[in-house]
Amino acid sequence: MSNAEIGLIGLGTMGAALALNIADKGFDIAVWNRTGTVTQDFAAGAGDLASKITATDTLEDLVAAIAKPRAIILMVPAGQPVDDQIAALRPLLDDDDMIIDAGNALFHDTNRRAREATGPFLGIGVSGGEEGARFGPSIMGGGKREYWDRVAHVLEAISAKYEGTPCATWMGEEGAGHFVKAVHNGIEYADMQMIAEVYGIMRDGMGMDADAIGKVFEGWNNGPLKSYLIEISGAVALAKDTSTGTPMLDMIVDAAGQKGTGRWTVIEAQQLAAPIPAIEAAVVARNLSSRVGERAAGEDLFGAAPQPIDGALDLAQLEGALIAGKVLCYAQGFTMIEAASEAFGWALPLPDIAKVWREGCIIRSDMLNDMAAALAEDPDRNLMYADRFADYLRGNHAALRAVVAVGATHGVAMPSLASGLAYFDAMRTARGTANMIQGQRDYFGRHGFVRMDNGAKDQHGPWAD
Ligand code: 6PG
């Protein structure tokens, strides 16, 4: 049999969900997993979709089951496993058969794999978690356009739809898709962190219980903050532990995991000299959260940091702070994408990136539709200066300032919101303080500066002698 439209290797959570999604959209798919029982269990559990799925026992059988020219999706863990899988698979393929890495690869790896590939290769970022993979993810493609065009009908069919438009788009050459996915995850980290910070004020500063907090998030999900992350934050806060009846949230250790995509974004931002402080702060906060023992020792030594805020803030201010924080964090993410687009010569389609994130992915939110419109007007302009978002900031930066200030005076750490605020203030200060840095650099190293009065470069101060 060699009639499957597409193949898929790796039937872990995401791979299995994606395979079912592909079958569900009417495509015949051949699947293979390194551990044979996983493949058999998957096929056995496929129900009505079983007739669309060919479960294979060997890589050779997988390849034989796919129509030529073949396209095979890899859903294996990022890193060495991808290289190992490509090395095992490529010799079995014809020259024009295509390998598609749909895992969360580091985009530098995807660049390398695309350059080294001896046949067609695509790297695609897939967002939306298990449910997204099963029912409609957001897909960010990278590689040669002609390769994307060969499989676009499948990827568009399985993707989420925003008012009928598929959330699957080609972003550019080589690792462009995985790069955009990494920035998506960086924004995801900051969005999640800001929500967690506001949760901290409600819990520790306002003394609210998880139920009350959940209801606040539910309410905010009817306003400008409407988004998947606010929705699930409400659901998480409202859930009860089935065995004890205690709010589930109160049963979870406060140490955040991470697979590394946020860290990649931050490292790359530094390489690009792209300022994304709210995202950096979110990664730092995750690192710091894992130091559970040290934090407990610190509390013993100095006393607990958070104090009741005694009415110093209301819920509308918290909502306003999150609105402003969200705008600033997305603005940072998009400016980083723009910087990469220029540095790597990719011509990344900023409005289309906002569009592809409108449905299916973890950061999907109502605001992204307006962001797409603002970026279509002027892709080079920082979103915080676009009318709609400048209005959000004008209307809400006082709330952000109040929340960060109360956090500081009452011991509730707000690293991402505070970094967002510092970014906002810095980005609206025509004369900053780097003249002092330049003076210092010139003093100790004769590094030179530009004069204010006549624009002359490589100037030195009187201290030079
Ligand atoms: C997505 C998510 C996903 C991410 C996991 C875990 O877009 O579907 O970003 O790709 O890898 O949610 O990420 P962390 O372990 O880094 O939190």
Side-chain angles (χ1 to χ4, degrees), residues 288-342:
L288 199 150
S289 77
S290 68
R291 305 201 166 210
V292 178
E294 278 177 78
R295 289 191 285 116
E299 183 165 319
D300 285 346
L301 191 60
F302 300 111
Q307 304 300 322
I309 64 166
D310 297 327
L313 292 170
D314 59 32
L315 292 171
Q317 284 172 299
L318 296 189
E319 183 183 19
L322 263 189
I323 292 170
K326 188 177 174 98
V327 169
L328 293 162
C329 131
Y330 282 64
Q332 291 171 21
F334 278 106
T335 56
M336 174 174 173
I337 291 173
E338 204 208 337
S341 188
E342 215 178 299

Short mmCIF file of all heavy atoms in Angstrom, two decimals, residues 288-342:
data_model
loop_
_atom_site.label_atom_id
_atom_site.label_comp_id
_atom_site.label_asym_id
_atom_site.label_seq_id
_atom_site.Cartn_x
_atom_site.Cartn_y
_atom_site.Cartn_z
N LEU A 288 13.60 31.79 38.95
CA LEU A 288 13.60 32.08 40.38
C LEU A 288 12.58 31.23 41.14
O LEU A 288 12.84 30.78 42.25
CB LEU A 288 13.30 33.58 40.54
CG LEU A 288 13.67 34.23 41.85
CD1 LEU A 288 14.02 35.70 41.61
CD2 LEU A 288 12.56 34.14 42.86
N SER A 289 11.45 30.98 40.50
CA SER A 289 10.39 30.22 41.19
C SER A 289 10.86 28.83 41.57
O SER A 289 10.39 28.24 42.55
CB SER A 289 9.13 30.13 40.31
OG SER A 289 9.29 29.16 39.28
N SER A 290 11.81 28.30 40.80
CA SER A 290 12.25 26.93 41.07
C SER A 290 13.16 26.85 42.31
O SER A 290 13.44 25.78 42.81
CB SER A 290 12.97 26.35 39.85
OG SER A 290 14.18 27.03 39.68
N ARG A 291 13.59 28.00 42.82
CA ARG A 291 14.46 28.00 44.02
C ARG A 291 13.61 27.97 45.28
O ARG A 291 13.64 28.91 46.11
CB ARG A 291 15.37 29.23 43.99
CG ARG A 291 16.16 29.26 42.69
CD ARG A 291 17.39 30.09 42.77
NE ARG A 291 18.22 29.78 41.61
CZ ARG A 291 19.53 29.85 41.58
NH1 ARG A 291 20.18 30.22 42.66
NH2 ARG A 291 20.19 29.53 40.50
N VAL A 292 12.85 26.91 45.40
CA VAL A 292 11.84 26.82 46.46
C VAL A 292 12.48 26.91 47.85
O VAL A 292 12.03 27.67 48.71
CB VAL A 292 11.05 25.49 46.31
CG1 VAL A 292 10.02 25.34 47.42
CG2 VAL A 292 10.38 25.44 44.94
N GLY A 293 13.55 26.14 48.07
CA GLY A 293 14.19 26.10 49.38
C GLY A 293 14.79 27.44 49.76
O GLY A 293 14.63 27.92 50.90
N GLU A 294 15.45 28.06 48.81
CA GLU A 294 16.08 29.37 49.10
C GLU A 294 15.03 30.41 49.44
O GLU A 294 15.23 31.26 50.32
CB GLU A 294 16.86 29.85 47.88
CG GLU A 294 18.25 29.26 47.75
CD GLU A 294 18.91 29.75 46.49
OE1 GLU A 294 19.40 30.89 46.46
OE2 GLU A 294 18.92 28.99 45.51
N ARG A 295 13.90 30.34 48.74
CA ARG A 295 12.84 31.33 49.01
C ARG A 295 12.29 31.14 50.42
O ARG A 295 12.02 32.11 51.14
CB ARG A 295 11.73 31.21 47.96
CG ARG A 295 12.19 31.73 46.59
CD ARG A 295 11.03 31.87 45.61
NE ARG A 295 10.57 30.59 45.09
CZ ARG A 295 9.37 30.07 45.30
NH1 ARG A 295 8.49 30.72 46.04
NH2 ARG A 295 9.04 28.93 44.76
N ALA A 296 12.16 29.87 50.80
CA ALA A 296 11.65 29.61 52.16
C ALA A 296 12.67 30.11 53.19
O ALA A 296 12.29 30.71 54.21
CB ALA A 296 11.40 28.11 52.33
N ALA A 297 13.95 29.89 52.92
CA ALA A 297 14.98 30.37 53.85
C ALA A 297 14.96 31.89 53.92
O ALA A 297 15.10 32.48 55.01
CB ALA A 297 16.35 29.86 53.38
N GLY A 298 14.75 32.53 52.79
CA GLY A 298 14.68 34.00 52.76
C GLY A 298 13.52 34.51 53.58
O GLY A 298 13.63 35.52 54.29
N GLU A 299 12.39 33.80 53.49
CA GLU A 299 11.22 34.23 54.27
C GLU A 299 11.49 34.09 55.76
O GLU A 299 11.12 34.96 56.56
CB GLU A 299 10.00 33.40 53.87
CG GLU A 299 8.74 33.84 54.59
CD GLU A 299 7.45 33.28 53.97
OE1 GLU A 299 7.34 33.25 52.73
OE2 GLU A 299 6.57 32.87 54.74
N ASP A 300 12.20 33.01 56.15
CA ASP A 300 12.56 32.84 57.57
C ASP A 300 13.46 33.98 58.04
O ASP A 300 13.33 34.50 59.14
CB ASP A 300 13.31 31.51 57.76
CG ASP A 300 12.36 30.33 57.71
OD1 ASP A 300 11.14 30.56 57.80
OD2 ASP A 300 12.85 29.19 57.55
N LEU A 301 14.39 34.37 57.17
CA LEU A 301 15.39 35.36 57.55
C LEU A 301 14.82 36.78 57.62
O LEU A 301 15.07 37.53 58.57
CB LEU A 301 16.52 35.31 56.50
CG LEU A 301 17.80 36.06 56.79
CD1 LEU A 301 18.46 35.54 58.08
CD2 LEU A 301 18.78 35.88 55.62
N PHE A 302 14.03 37.15 56.58
CA PHE A 302 13.59 38.55 56.48
C PHE A 302 12.11 38.76 56.82
O PHE A 302 11.63 39.88 56.87
CB PHE A 302 13.81 39.06 55.05
CG PHE A 302 15.25 39.02 54.62
CD1 PHE A 302 15.68 38.12 53.64
CD2 PHE A 302 16.19 39.87 55.18
CE1 PHE A 302 17.00 38.09 53.24
CE2 PHE A 302 17.52 39.84 54.78
CZ PHE A 302 17.93 38.94 53.81
N GLY A 303 11.37 37.66 56.99
CA GLY A 303 9.92 37.77 57.14
C GLY A 303 9.27 37.72 55.77
O GLY A 303 9.91 38.01 54.77
N ALA A 304 7.99 37.34 55.75
CA ALA A 304 7.29 37.21 54.47
C ALA A 304 7.18 38.57 53.80
O ALA A 304 6.87 39.57 54.46
CB ALA A 304 5.90 36.62 54.71
N ALA A 305 7.40 38.62 52.50
CA ALA A 305 7.36 39.90 51.78
C ALA A 305 5.95 40.46 51.63
O ALA A 305 5.71 41.61 52.00
CB ALA A 305 8.04 39.74 50.42
N PRO A 306 4.99 39.69 51.09
CA PRO A 306 3.69 40.31 50.77
C PRO A 306 2.93 40.76 52.00
O PRO A 306 2.86 40.03 53.00
CB PRO A 306 2.94 39.18 50.05
CG PRO A 306 3.95 38.16 49.70
CD PRO A 306 5.03 38.27 50.73
N GLN A 307 2.39 41.97 51.92
CA GLN A 307 1.59 42.54 53.02
C GLN A 307 0.20 42.89 52.49
O GLN A 307 0.06 43.20 51.30
CB GLN A 307 2.25 43.83 53.54
CG GLN A 307 3.68 43.67 54.01
CD GLN A 307 3.82 42.67 55.14
OE1 GLN A 307 2.97 42.62 56.04
NE2 GLN A 307 4.85 41.83 55.11
N PRO A 308 -0.81 42.89 53.36
CA PRO A 308 -2.15 43.31 52.91
C PRO A 308 -2.10 44.74 52.36
O PRO A 308 -1.42 45.60 52.95
CB PRO A 308 -2.98 43.25 54.20
CG PRO A 308 -2.21 42.39 55.14
CD PRO A 308 -0.77 42.51 54.78
N ILE A 309 -2.80 44.98 51.28
CA ILE A 309 -2.70 46.32 50.67
C ILE A 309 -3.83 47.24 51.15
O ILE A 309 -3.86 48.43 50.77
CB ILE A 309 -2.68 46.25 49.13
CG1 ILE A 309 -4.00 45.69 48.57
CG2 ILE A 309 -1.50 45.43 48.63
CD1 ILE A 309 -4.17 45.90 47.09
N ASP A 310 -4.71 46.72 51.98
CA ASP A 310 -5.73 47.55 52.65
C ASP A 310 -6.43 48.54 51.72
O ASP A 310 -6.39 49.76 51.96
CB ASP A 310 -5.08 48.33 53.82
CG ASP A 310 -4.55 47.38 54.88
OD1 ASP A 310 -5.15 46.31 55.07
OD2 ASP A 310 -3.51 47.70 55.49
N GLY A 311 -6.99 48.05 50.67
CA GLY A 311 -7.79 48.92 49.79
C GLY A 311 -6.98 49.85 48.92
O GLY A 311 -7.53 50.78 48.31
N ALA A 312 -5.66 49.65 48.87
CA ALA A 312 -4.84 50.57 48.07
C ALA A 312 -5.09 50.44 46.57
O ALA A 312 -4.70 51.32 45.79
CB ALA A 312 -3.35 50.34 48.37
N LEU A 313 -5.72 49.36 46.14
CA LEU A 313 -6.01 49.16 44.72
C LEU A 313 -7.40 48.59 44.59
O LEU A 313 -7.88 47.88 45.48
CB LEU A 313 -5.04 48.15 44.10
CG LEU A 313 -3.57 48.53 43.97
CD1 LEU A 313 -2.77 47.28 43.57
CD2 LEU A 313 -3.37 49.64 42.94
N ASP A 314 -8.04 48.85 43.42
CA ASP A 314 -9.29 48.13 43.16
C ASP A 314 -9.11 47.22 41.95
O ASP A 314 -8.09 47.29 41.26
CB ASP A 314 -10.47 49.11 43.00
CG ASP A 314 -10.25 50.08 41.86
OD1 ASP A 314 -9.59 49.68 40.86
OD2 ASP A 314 -10.71 51.24 41.94
N LEU A 315 -10.11 46.39 41.71
CA LEU A 315 -9.98 45.39 40.65
C LEU A 315 -9.88 46.04 39.27
O LEU A 315 -9.21 45.52 38.37
CB LEU A 315 -11.16 44.42 40.70
CG LEU A 315 -11.18 43.52 41.94
CD1 LEU A 315 -12.49 42.74 42.03
CD2 LEU A 315 -9.99 42.56 41.92
N ALA A 316 -10.53 47.20 39.10
CA ALA A 316 -10.44 47.87 37.80
C ALA A 316 -9.00 48.29 37.51
O ALA A 316 -8.54 48.24 36.36
CB ALA A 316 -11.36 49.10 37.78
N GLN A 317 -8.28 48.67 38.55
CA GLN A 317 -6.86 49.04 38.34
C GLN A 317 -6.04 47.81 37.94
O GLN A 317 -5.14 47.90 37.11
CB GLN A 317 -6.28 49.67 39.60
CG GLN A 317 -6.75 51.12 39.80
CD GLN A 317 -6.32 51.65 41.15
OE1 GLN A 317 -6.71 51.11 42.19
NE2 GLN A 317 -5.51 52.70 41.14
N LEU A 318 -6.37 46.68 38.56
CA LEU A 318 -5.65 45.46 38.18
C LEU A 318 -5.92 45.10 36.72
O LEU A 318 -5.00 44.73 35.98
CB LEU A 318 -6.06 44.28 39.08
CG LEU A 318 -5.75 44.40 40.57
CD1 LEU A 318 -6.02 43.08 41.27
CD2 LEU A 318 -4.30 44.81 40.80
N GLU A 319 -7.17 45.24 36.32
CA GLU A 319 -7.50 44.94 34.91
C GLU A 319 -6.75 45.92 33.99
O GLU A 319 -6.16 45.51 32.98
CB GLU A 319 -9.02 45.06 34.69
CG GLU A 319 -9.43 44.69 33.27
CD GLU A 319 -10.92 44.88 33.01
OE1 GLU A 319 -11.58 45.62 33.78
OE2 GLU A 319 -11.42 44.30 32.04
N GLY A 320 -6.76 47.19 34.37
CA GLY A 320 -6.07 48.19 33.56
C GLY A 320 -4.58 47.90 33.46
O GLY A 320 -3.97 48.03 32.38
N ALA A 321 -3.98 47.50 34.58
CA ALA A 321 -2.54 47.18 34.57
C ALA A 321 -2.26 46.02 33.62
O ALA A 321 -1.28 46.03 32.87
CB ALA A 321 -2.08 46.82 35.99
N LEU A 322 -3.14 45.04 33.63
CA LEU A 322 -2.93 43.89 32.74
C LEU A 322 -3.10 44.30 31.27
O LEU A 322 -2.38 43.81 30.40
CB LEU A 322 -3.92 42.78 33.06
CG LEU A 322 -3.45 41.66 33.97
CD1 LEU A 322 -4.49 40.53 34.00
CD2 LEU A 322 -2.10 41.09 33.52
N ILE A 323 -4.06 45.18 31.01
CA ILE A 323 -4.26 45.63 29.62
C ILE A 323 -2.99 46.34 29.14
O ILE A 323 -2.46 46.03 28.07
CB ILE A 323 -5.49 46.58 29.52
CG1 ILE A 323 -6.78 45.79 29.78
CG2 ILE A 323 -5.54 47.26 28.15
CD1 ILE A 323 -8.02 46.66 29.94
N ALA A 324 -2.50 47.28 29.94
CA ALA A 324 -1.29 48.00 29.54
C ALA A 324 -0.10 47.04 29.43
O ALA A 324 0.67 47.09 28.46
CB ALA A 324 -0.97 49.11 30.55
N GLY A 325 0.03 46.15 30.41
CA GLY A 325 1.14 45.20 30.39
C GLY A 325 1.10 44.31 29.16
O GLY A 325 2.12 44.05 28.53
N LYS A 326 -0.10 43.89 28.80
CA LYS A 326 -0.24 43.00 27.64
C LYS A 326 0.18 43.72 26.36
O LYS A 326 0.93 43.18 25.54
CB LYS A 326 -1.70 42.54 27.55
CG LYS A 326 -1.94 41.47 26.51
CD LYS A 326 -3.41 41.04 26.56
CE LYS A 326 -3.71 40.08 25.45
NZ LYS A 326 -3.68 38.69 25.85
N VAL A 327 -0.28 44.95 26.21
CA VAL A 327 0.10 45.72 25.01
C VAL A 327 1.62 45.84 24.94
O VAL A 327 2.24 45.63 23.88
CB VAL A 327 -0.55 47.13 25.05
CG1 VAL A 327 0.05 48.03 23.99
CG2 VAL A 327 -2.07 47.02 24.90
N LEU A 328 2.24 46.14 26.08
CA LEU A 328 3.69 46.35 26.08
C LEU A 328 4.44 45.06 25.78
O LEU A 328 5.45 45.05 25.06
CB LEU A 328 4.12 46.94 27.43
CG LEU A 328 3.59 48.37 27.65
CD1 LEU A 328 3.64 48.76 29.12
CD2 LEU A 328 4.36 49.37 26.78
N CYS A 329 3.94 43.96 26.31
CA CYS A 329 4.64 42.69 26.07
C CYS A 329 4.52 42.27 24.61
O CYS A 329 5.50 41.84 24.00
CB CYS A 329 4.13 41.67 27.09
SG CYS A 329 3.65 40.11 26.48
N TYR A 330 3.36 42.45 23.99
CA TYR A 330 3.21 42.11 22.57
C TYR A 330 4.02 43.07 21.70
O TYR A 330 4.63 42.66 20.71
CB TYR A 330 1.74 42.11 22.15
CG TYR A 330 0.99 40.87 22.58
CD1 TYR A 330 0.82 40.56 23.93
CD2 TYR A 330 0.48 39.98 21.64
CE1 TYR A 330 0.15 39.41 24.33
CE2 TYR A 330 -0.19 38.82 22.04
CZ TYR A 330 -0.35 38.56 23.38
OH TYR A 330 -1.01 37.41 23.78
N ALA A 331 4.02 44.34 22.10
CA ALA A 331 4.81 45.32 21.34
C ALA A 331 6.27 44.89 21.33
O ALA A 331 6.95 44.94 20.30
CB ALA A 331 4.66 46.70 21.96
N GLN A 332 6.77 44.43 22.47
CA GLN A 332 8.17 43.99 22.56
C GLN A 332 8.40 42.77 21.65
O GLN A 332 9.38 42.70 20.92
CB GLN A 332 8.52 43.65 24.01
CG GLN A 332 8.57 44.90 24.88
CD GLN A 332 8.70 44.59 26.37
OE1 GLN A 332 9.15 43.51 26.76
NE2 GLN A 332 8.32 45.54 27.21
N GLY A 333 7.48 41.82 21.71
CA GLY A 333 7.63 40.62 20.88
C GLY A 333 7.68 40.97 19.40
O GLY A 333 8.54 40.48 18.66
N PHE A 334 6.78 41.84 18.96
CA PHE A 334 6.76 42.18 17.53
C PHE A 334 8.00 42.99 17.12
O PHE A 334 8.50 42.82 16.01
CB PHE A 334 5.47 42.92 17.16
CG PHE A 334 4.30 41.99 16.93
CD1 PHE A 334 3.28 41.86 17.86
CD2 PHE A 334 4.24 41.20 15.79
CE1 PHE A 334 2.22 40.97 17.66
CE2 PHE A 334 3.19 40.32 15.56
CZ PHE A 334 2.18 40.20 16.50
N THR A 335 8.50 43.85 18.02
CA THR A 335 9.71 44.59 17.63
C THR A 335 10.89 43.63 17.53
O THR A 335 11.78 43.82 16.71
CB THR A 335 10.05 45.73 18.62
OG1 THR A 335 10.18 45.19 19.93
CG2 THR A 335 9.02 46.82 18.61
N MET A 336 10.88 42.59 18.34
CA MET A 336 11.96 41.59 18.22
C MET A 336 11.86 40.86 16.87
O MET A 336 12.86 40.60 16.22
CB MET A 336 11.87 40.59 19.37
CG MET A 336 12.87 39.47 19.21
SD MET A 336 12.93 38.37 20.60
CE MET A 336 14.04 37.11 19.93
N ILE A 337 10.64 40.54 16.48
CA ILE A 337 10.46 39.86 15.19
C ILE A 337 10.95 40.77 14.06
O ILE A 337 11.61 40.32 13.12
CB ILE A 337 8.97 39.47 14.99
CG1 ILE A 337 8.60 38.36 15.99
CG2 ILE A 337 8.71 39.02 13.56
CD1 ILE A 337 7.14 38.01 16.01
N GLU A 338 10.64 42.05 14.19
CA GLU A 338 11.08 42.98 13.15
C GLU A 338 12.61 43.04 13.10
O GLU A 338 13.21 43.05 12.01
CB GLU A 338 10.49 44.36 13.42
CG GLU A 338 10.41 45.19 12.18
CD GLU A 338 10.50 46.67 12.46
OE1 GLU A 338 10.21 47.08 13.60
OE2 GLU A 338 10.91 47.39 11.54
N ALA A 339 13.23 43.05 14.28
CA ALA A 339 14.70 43.10 14.32
C ALA A 339 15.29 41.85 13.67
O ALA A 339 16.27 41.92 12.92
CB ALA A 339 15.17 43.23 15.77
N ALA A 340 14.70 40.71 13.93
CA ALA A 340 15.20 39.45 13.36
C ALA A 340 14.99 39.43 11.86
O ALA A 340 15.85 38.97 11.09
CB ALA A 340 14.48 38.27 14.00
N SER A 341 13.86 39.95 11.44
CA SER A 341 13.54 39.98 10.02
C SER A 341 14.64 40.70 9.26
O SER A 341 15.11 40.24 8.21
CB SER A 341 12.20 40.70 9.85
OG SER A 341 11.76 40.61 8.55
N GLU A 342 15.07 41.82 9.83
CA GLU A 342 16.13 42.60 9.19
C GLU A 342 17.48 41.89 9.30
O GLU A 342 18.20 41.74 8.31
CB GLU A 342 16.20 43.95 9.87
CG GLU A 342 16.55 45.07 8.92
CD GLU A 342 16.57 46.39 9.65
OE1 GLU A 342 15.51 46.78 10.19
OE2 GLU A 342 17.65 47.01 9.69
#
